[in-house]
Amino acid sequence: MTATFSLTGPTPTADSASTAPPTGATVQLSAVVKAFAGHTALNSIDLDVAPGELVALLGPSGCGKTTALRTISGLESIDSGRILIDGVDVADTPTNKRDIGMVFQAYSLFPHMTVLENVEFGLKMRKVAAARRRERALETLEMVGLTKHSERFAHQLSGGQQQRVALARALVTRPRVLLLDEPLSALDAKVRVQLREEIRRLQTELGITTVFVTHDQEEALAVADRVAVMRDGRIEQIGTPEELYATPANAFVADFVGLSNRMTAELIDGQVHLHGCTLNLLGDPMPDGPVVALVRPEDIALSTEGIAGTVISSSFLGSLRRTRVRLDDGTVVAIQHEVERHPQPGEAVSVRLKGAPVSALPPKLTK
Amino acid sequence: MGILGAAVPHLAVAKVTADVAAPLSPVEPAPAPASPSPRAKPANQAVRIGAEPSTLARRLILGIIGAIFLIPVIAMIEFTFRDGLAGSYTTSHWTGLFGEDSARTYRGLYQAIENSLVLAAVTVGIVLVLLLPTMVLVHLQFPRLKRTLEFICIIPITVPAIVLVVGLAPVYSVVVKVLGGSTWTLAFAYGITVLPYAYRAIQGNLDAIPVKTLSEAASTLGAGWLTVLWTILLPNLRRGVLAASFISIAVVLGEFTIASLLNRRNLQTALLQVSQSDPWVAVIFALAALALAFVLLLIIGRLGAASPSRRKS
């Protein structure tokens, strides 16, 4: 099942097979600016993607993540800056010469072609011989588990199957860079999880440098080696999922990556003093003074004694429950706890901090 | 009778134009889960305004509209069997067409038919070579110009043919100097008159498929612009293109005013001329033109219903 073939070199023309270990290209965006009718979609973006790495661009709608992806693909031109693939500036190279693979949010299979013909298309453009083409296409379809659907048309497949075919079509040429533009957002939850795991498996096996755009933080954290959180055309923070989760650079990142409770605290001698507890500070040292502590819901517990509060609501989330509590000082906090405990709205409860280290921000950065 | 012959295909075309926009989608939705038929309704449900008409009402509407179309056609057929004013019937008008000297007798008419077919072909060529790529380009690259293009394409339907001819007359005096006075040059004028119909047919199809996504997907796979147009877009715009072509053919075959006022000979002007000496033959040819228009409409309807898998098989 592991793919060991290579159809393309730096330029998309070859019909050669190679058993060399798969390696992707480097992708670099340097001070890339792109504006649409006065609106700056990309505001001097810098991004380095290592060979074989999967980087997720994460952010809310309109933050510029899709524009960034489209500039890499060449579907959007850039106003200034440089885009380098394997060190070569491709800013002026047309899309069809960039040797990339791309999967779109909308099902983009060619409706007049069968699944097999769809997958063969990229090889046909590279003038691969018909027999070879068919062989490669079937191999790639086998990788995504759709060999038996090779003679079907797009409208005869489910959404998940269509995206699998789209993935196979993008991978069959062994592109230098794989670009995924919210490929899972049109799928239902279960298929989304299955397919994202499949994408990760294939990407790891083939070693293709991949940029994955998503607005779903869970998805980004699950599949990416590194995640770039974007807002208003800028990258707010880039790092491993663990880094982003544990040490968000600001409140926006903290809010967007996971859930954080913002609680007013005091920083004294490098330690966070919060509701009578002293907690270690995560990340870079900060000057003493008032701060906003970012406390994860799993770092707060319902308790028999501690900070008094009243339950606002409680939601069942499958393996855990999330309860919102209004503390006596008016702060509303979300608490993650076991499902067996089922607090009722209006119930008086006590909460306590578990003592885990927290991130903190100067109050001016919390907006 | 020539006027009738000229007018009827236009009526047919107007109906097609209204119908082509909706059923052109080549992408059929995935099979929906089993659900109650939208036509099924509880027995106690009150009839409401705007509800789907009953079977009886549908048949009645169909019958009335059918009668409006069929009665003139039946009258034309009956007319072709009349034996002068005697009140008796004969097949001689039909058999005369296949007589030994018919080629000589109706040479002018046959020449006019040939002219009309050439005009239809050149007009379709103009639509495919100029209008289609322009529409695709505007759709993909210049979507802001879509309204402008639509406005320009709709204009000919608002301008009476006689007004169009007044404007075209000085233009054609130049065309004659450059290209000669051949009948085919009329296709330039017809290319303008068919614009509203061809535009609607193609636009309906363009709106029904994700043209931008398909083009972008193809180009990321290594396809250049011409390959995208030829390999990806044209097969998916097949229905719109064929509908535009057939409608253009129907319009050209039924056109009278421009040809007559610019002194060109086409099917309709010839039918008018023949009708003055042999009205029965003129009606027979008018019926043939109608039959051709109906066949084209049937083909368009079939195209709208066909799925990719059926086409493939």
Side-chain angles (χ1 to χ4, degrees), chain A residues 70 96 100 111-112 117 126, chain B residues 216 219-221 231 236 312:
Chain A
R70 289 172 66 84
N96 60 323
I100 52 161
H112 62 295
E117 288 166 345
R126 287 158 174 79
Chain B
E216 289 180 350
S219 79
T220 60
L221 291 165
T231 318
N236 287 294
K312 190 80 182 172

Side-chain angles (χ1 to χ4, degrees), chain B residues 38-293:
Chain B
R39 291 186 180 182
K41 57 184 176 186
N44 61 352
Q45 187 179 322
V47 176
R48 58 182 171 81
I49 293 171
E52 196 174 317
S54 67
T55 307
L56 179 66
R58 279 202 299 268
R59 285 180 182 167
L60 196 65
I61 293 167
L62 193 65
I64 292 170
I65 293 172
I68 289 170
F69 279 99
L70 279 179
I71 288 171
V73 174
I74 292 167
M76 288 169 75
I77 295 170
E78 190 266 351
F79 179 77
T80 62
F81 288 102
R82 280 194 195 172
D83 187 10
L85 300 173
S88 56
Y89 289 97
T90 176
T91 57
S92 61
H93 307 306
W94 286 87
T95 54
L97 289 176
F98 303 100
E100 287 178 1
D101 56 349
S102 73
R104 184 173 50 81
T105 310
Y106 303 115
R107 189 174 53 200
L109 189 57
Y110 290 134
Q111 179 61 49
I113 292 172
E114 190 184 319
N115 287 347
S116 279
L117 292 176
V118 170
L119 279 169
V122 178
T123 307
V124 167
I126 289 171
V127 165
L128 297 185
V129 172
L130 291 181
L131 182 64
L132 178 66
T134 305
M135 289 182 68
V136 171
L137 198 63
V138 166
H139 196 88
L140 286 175
Q141 301 291 332
F142 309 104
R144 285 184 182 175
L145 294 177
K146 205 169 152 184
R147 287 279 174 100
T148 309
L149 181 64
E150 182 177 12
F151 178 73
I152 291 169
C153 289
I154 297 296
I155 286 175
I157 211 169
T158 65
V159 180
I162 187 84
V163 177
L164 205 59
V165 170
V166 171
L168 284 171
V171 175
Y172 265 88
S173 67
V174 177
V175 170
V176 168
K177 280 180 191 167
V178 177
L179 297 171
S182 303
T183 306
W184 72 266
T185 55
L186 261 188
F188 297 125
Y190 289 171
I192 295 170
T193 58
V194 302
L195 270 181
Y197 313 105
Y199 175 85
R200 279 285 161 210
I202 296 171
Q203 190 60 43
N205 205 164
L206 274 174
D207 290 339
I209 60 168
V211 178
K212 193 174 169 66
T213 307
L214 294 180
S215 308
E216 289 180 350
S219 79
T220 60
L221 291 165
W225 161 243
L226 275 178
T227 310
V228 171
L229 184 66
W230 188 254
T231 318
I232 303 300
L233 297 185
L234 266 183
N236 287 294
L237 293 173
R238 201 176 65 118
R239 292 173 199 182
V241 168
L242 284 176
S245 303
F246 291 154
I247 290 169
S248 301
I249 292 169
V251 169
V252 172
L253 292 184
E255 207 289 321
F256 172 81
T257 316
I258 295 173
S260 174
L261 295 176
L262 289 178
N263 292 320
R264 300 297 203 282
R265 193 173 179 80
N266 72 356
L267 173 61
Q268 298 303 333
T269 58
L271 282 180
L272 178 65
Q273 200 172 20
V274 170
S275 70
Q276 288 162 357
S277 58
D278 190 344
W280 296 280
V281 169
V283 172
I284 288 171
F285 276 96
L287 279 169
L290 264 180
L292 179 62

